[in-house]
């Protein structure tokens, strides 16, 4: 496993070193799960553990992030393994106050240095779980396979998020990095 160190500071003490570790087993487990409730991998800071969101939880959490001054700044493709069906989006959010952004656990595991919060999102339909679904053109960080799925309850809830995201401020890449 790979690792990297970074310093985090508190207002009254010297920087405290924190070590990030790449966990290939975690990525394999996330990739191998067919469960529709395992859609987005994130790092839960309070529990100091990785966890997953389903589509509704992902959308709700993204709206909370926006309510707290974070916004999407990075959406880049990733792949686990060689199969074309194992496609992902690394979605990165940053706080407007740059001092509140720290080195991100999920991004590190996905081969990217990023200060903020990030989630690894499966490229499957948020409504019906069909793999290799199209990325939402309005926000770049959700997927739907058809107009019917976009019109579903999940799609309607997602529109609230689409209205908040400014795609002109998002860094994107065409190259899809293979993680494992």
């Amino acid at each position: 496993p790979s690792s990297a160190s970074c310093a985090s500071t508190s207002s009254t003490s010297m920087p405290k070193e924190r070590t990030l570790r790449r966990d290939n087993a975690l990525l394999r487990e996330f990739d191998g799960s067919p469960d529709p409730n395992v859609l987005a991998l994130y790092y839960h800071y309070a529990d100091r553990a990785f966890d997953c969101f389903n589509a509704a939880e992902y959308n709700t959490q993204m709206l909370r992030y926006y309510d707290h001054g974070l916004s999407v700044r990075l959406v880049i493709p990733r792949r686990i393994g060689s199969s074309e069906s194992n496609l992902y989006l690394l979605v990165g959010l940053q706080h407007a106050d740059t001092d509140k952004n720290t080195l991100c656990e999920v991004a590190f595991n996905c081969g990217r240095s990023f200060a903020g919060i990030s989630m690894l999102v499966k490229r499957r339909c948020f409504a019906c779980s069909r793999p290799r679904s199209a990325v939402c053109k309005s926000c770049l960080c959700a997927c739907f396979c058809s107009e019917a799925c976009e019109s579903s309850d999940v799609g309607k809830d997602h529109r609230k998020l689409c209205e908040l995201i400014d795609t002109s401020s998002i860094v994107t890449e065409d190259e899809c990095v293979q993680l494992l």
Side-chain angles (χ1 to χ4, degrees):
S2 299
S3 65
S5 294
C6 69
S8 61
T9 59
S10 72
S11 59
T12 60
S13 65
M14 296 295 293
K16 180 181 173 187
E17 189 171 291
R18 183 175 70 140
T19 301
L20 302 178
R21 297 197 190 286
R22 183 161 292 125
D23 188 347
N24 291 342
L26 170 78
L27 293 175
R28 282 188 190 97
E29 180 180 352
F30 177 64
D31 179 57
S33 176
D35 185 346
N37 290 313
V38 178
L39 177 70
L41 177 70
Y42 71 100
Y43 185 77
H44 193 274
Y45 289 97
D47 294 343
R48 296 180 185 239
F50 290 95
D51 203 351
C52 295
F53 289 129
N54 63 30
E57 293 166 336
Y58 170 81
N59 191 61
T60 299
Q61 185 61 43
M62 291 288 279
L63 291 170
R64 279 191 203 125
Y65 285 147
Y66 269 83
D67 285 345
H68 289 94
L70 289 110
S71 55
V72 175
R73 294 288 178 240
L74 173 78
V75 179
I76 55 176
R78 290 295 187 254
R79 176 183 304 147
I80 297 176
S82 58
S83 172
E84 286 295 319
S85 64
N86 298 11
L87 300 176
Y88 298 85
L89 300 171
L90 180 61
V91 177
L93 299 98
Q94 290 182 321
H95 197 281
D97 178 355
T98 57
D99 290 339
K100 293 186 178 184
N101 296 316
T102 61
L103 193 59
C104 179
E105 304 272 348
V106 172
F108 179 78
N109 273 281
C110 295
R112 177 72 178 227
S113 291
F114 181 77
I117 294 172
S118 65
M119 292 176 269
L120 187 61
V121 181
K122 292 183 177 184
R123 274 215 33 209
R124 64 181 190 205
C125 181
F126 276 36
C128 74
S129 298
R130 179 175 290 154
R132 297 184 60 191
S133 295
V135 175
C136 175
K137 290 181 173 81
S138 298
C139 70
L140 307 177
C141 56
C143 301
F144 296 96
C145 67
S146 66
E147 287 184 24
C149 284
E150 284 184 66
S151 299
S152 70
D153 288 343
V154 172
K156 288 176 187 172
D157 287 343
H158 176 72
R159 282 190 212 117
K160 297 171 195 168
L161 179 61
C162 282
E163 292 171 5
L164 296 174
I165 296 176
D166 174 13
T167 57
S168 68
S169 64
I170 297 175
V171 172
T172 61
E173 295 175 3
D174 293 329
E175 181 183 0
C176 184
V177 172
Q178 185 171 329
L179 300 176
L180 303 174

